Amino acid sequence: MTPDFHARESDCIIAETLRARFAPGAPGVLYFDASSIGPMPADAPSRMQEVLDAGWRVARRRAWNETDWLAQPKKLGAAIAGVLGAGVDDVVVGDATTVNQFKLLHHALTVRAPRRVMVVEADVFPSNRYAAEGVAHAGHAGVRLIAGIHELPAALAAGDVAVVALSHVDYRSSTRLPMAEITAQVHDAGACVLWDLSHSAGALGIDLSGADVDFAVGCGYKYLCGGPGAPGFVYVHPRWQEGAWPAICGWMGHADTFAFEPAFRPAPGVARHLAATPAVLANTAFGAAAEVWKTVDPAWLDARHRALSESLIARIERECAGLGLELASPREHARRGGHVAYRFDGAGALAQALVEAGVVVSARKPDALRFAAHPLTATEAELGEAVARLRDILAGGRWREPRFAGPAV
Ligand SMILES: Cc1ncc(COP(=O)(O)O)c(C=O)c1O
């Protein structure tokens, strides 16, 4: 960490250069919603237009041969591998995180057979638990729920666990789990670990290889800036890439797709998990961000994110003291993820009042208000202005107005 991050000229130049690669949002609006949807790279529209025009309108089916449409899932994976601390051949982009969660849970059960238990946190992001329950319901395995990470040793004790699926960062409180330590603990019990990096990938420095992680998934549309509904990513450690078939066997995961062989043969490596035709338009938008990610140093990203988050916490502490906000995220950087959460009785209404005042934040039930600054675009000046607007809304009680009482996404 560099406590003087904002004072170092080289860091400021890097920050400015990276920020310039993104399009500004609406004038006067401050965006602290990177935990939901990251900023748009400036050249995403022209890249999309090119594919629509030269690819779809003109080349039509020939574009599959003349462009990189089929190679995009691997190329995108290689581009984001650096910020994940993964090998360039160990990541592919495709499908949504829920689908990828299902695929890798299933894959973990296959490679760790005859073990048949999946350990899942009871109040994890619901879709992750649903995916595990779906695998279990089909008769493939059983789910063992834990109330928190403190219950992990007991859950592993029977020696029957194939995979432990965990969120690196909690989507409400932003509590970050110690990846390397827990991965080692799971390995000692003979099981695999599957990390969901949705609230850390693109925000924090991550070291999947260094932590010896078996499997990981994460959203493409949050901090990774892949665009609305962007596909997620799949990481598989090289030791689990060969041998077993993927959960969903499809032609894009076949060893020789266009041979149209009647029987399935898995493609080498992680590419076998790419079941079907790539989502070209979504991948094209993601491609704009991928070009930026290739240039980002994960250590710099981590330091920048830390500096912004700590500044936000300090400003709120200074300027909003006594106004009802209570820090819900860990104060220590190493234990905190992409966003900073505050407990507030009325978080949903406050979030809506902030949005109306041009500060785009989010709330999660029951009482979490989330500020997610994007390390590649957020600035100190924006933090200052956002906290000033927050203070005004709280001090004036505006968030209590009836129009903010309804449900918000
Ligand atoms: C931690 C986490 N996991 C999984 C998902 C689900 O992602 P998807 O809808 O792309 O499957 C989300 C969505 O916000 C999430 O926050």
Side-chain angles (χ1 to χ4, degrees):
M1 151 62 179
T2 52
D4 59 342
F5 189 91
H6 296 292
R8 289 209 325 226
E9 201 188 338
S10 58
D11 289 328
C12 295
I13 292 169
I14 296 171
E16 269 314 304
T17 309
L18 288 166
R19 182 174 158 83
R21 298 194 65 175
F22 290 85
V29 177
L30 307 164
Y31 296 88
F32 290 94
D33 58 345
S35 57
S36 293
I37 180 163
M40 183 179 82
D43 62 347
S46 59
R47 285 169 173 264
M48 296 290 282
Q49 192 59 50
E50 165 84 10
V51 169
L52 291 173
D53 211 39
W56 187 3
R57 184 177 68 81
V58 176
R60 202 84 75 92
R61 73 166 301 283
R62 293 171 297 174
W64 288 107
N65 296 315
E66 293 167 7
T67 71
D68 68 349
W69 289 359
L70 286 169
Q72 279 173 334
K74 283 189 192 172
K75 285 170 84 168
L76 293 173
I80 62 169
V83 286
L84 302 179
V88 290
D89 295 327
D90 302 336
V91 183
V92 285
V93 164
D95 296 323
T97 300
T98 306
V99 177
N100 291 331
Q101 185 86 9
F102 177 92
K103 288 196 261 186
L104 293 187
L105 284 170
H106 195 289
H107 193 66
L109 287 162
T110 307
V111 300
R112 297 306 294 135
R115 292 171 174 240
R116 288 174 53 80
V117 173
M118 299 173 285
V119 172
V120 178
E121 281 183 290
D123 68 346
V124 71
F125 187 80
S127 206
N128 290 8
R129 177 168 162 179
Y130 304 158
E133 288 174 339
V135 173
H137 196 73
H140 299 306
V143 175
R144 185 170 297 150
L145 296 174
I146 54 174
I149 202 67
H150 59 282
E151 291 189 4
L152 184 58
L156 291 168
D160 54 359
V161 175
V163 58
V164 178
L166 296 166
S167 273
H168 188 207
V169 171
D170 183 85
Y171 72 104
R172 291 149 298 199
S173 70
S174 200
T175 300
R176 181 189 339 181
L177 295 177
M179 180 184 280
E181 198 181 298
I182 293 175
T183 299
Q185 186 183 356
V186 171
H187 287 173
D188 285 348
C192 290
V193 69
L194 163 56
W195 288 101
D196 179 344
L197 308 180
S198 294
H199 292 276
S200 52
L204 312 173
I206 297 173
D207 188 6
L208 288 175
S209 302
D212 201 25
V213 166
D214 303 285
F215 306 107
V217 295
C219 297
Y221 45 79
K222 299 183 190 289
Y223 299 91
L224 288 173
C225 307
F233 62 86
V234 163
Y235 164 82
V236 179
H237 191 285
R239 69 174 159 270
W240 302 124
Q241 286 181 14
E242 307 299 334
W245 281 19
I248 302 172
C249 300
W251 67 322
M252 291 295 156
H254 192 280
D256 192 354
T257 297
F258 294 100
F260 294 101
E261 289 175 15
F264 185 71
R265 269 192 311 126
V270 68
R272 69 189 54 194
H273 298 282
L274 296 169
T277 304
V280 174
L281 295 177
N283 286 343
T284 300
F286 203 155
E291 288 305 314
V292 181
W293 288 118
K294 281 185 198 168
T295 70
V296 175
D297 170 7
W300 184 92
L301 183 80
D302 201 72
R304 171 78 179 164
H305 179 266
R306 176 177 185 165
L308 287 166
S309 304
E310 290 181 349
S311 171
L312 176 75
I313 293 170
R315 284 173 189 274
I316 290 182
E317 224 153 51
R318 214 168 43 234
E319 296 181 40
C320 302
L323 294 175
L325 289 173
E326 186 194 340
L327 184 63
S329 302
R331 191 169 286 275
E332 195 190 330
H333 168 70
R335 295 188 52 234
R336 198 177 54 242
H339 59 279
V340 179
Y342 285 86
R343 257 185 297 276
F344 186 78
D345 194 8
L350 178 55
Q352 292 191 54
L354 279 162
V355 169
E356 189 193 75
V359 184
V360 186
V361 295
S362 59
R364 282 291 174 266
K365 286 182 175 168
D367 57 1
L369 179 72
R370 305 188 301 178
F371 284 85
H374 199 288
L376 301 188
T377 55
T379 65
E380 275 294 315
E382 287 174 352
L383 289 181
E385 180 57 28
V387 174
R389 293 184 198 178
L390 171 67
R391 185 196 51 225
D392 286 352
I393 289 168
L394 286 171
R398 189 154 19 111
W399 64 276
R400 293 182 199 276
E401 292 175 16
R403 67 182 186 284
F404 302 128
V409 175

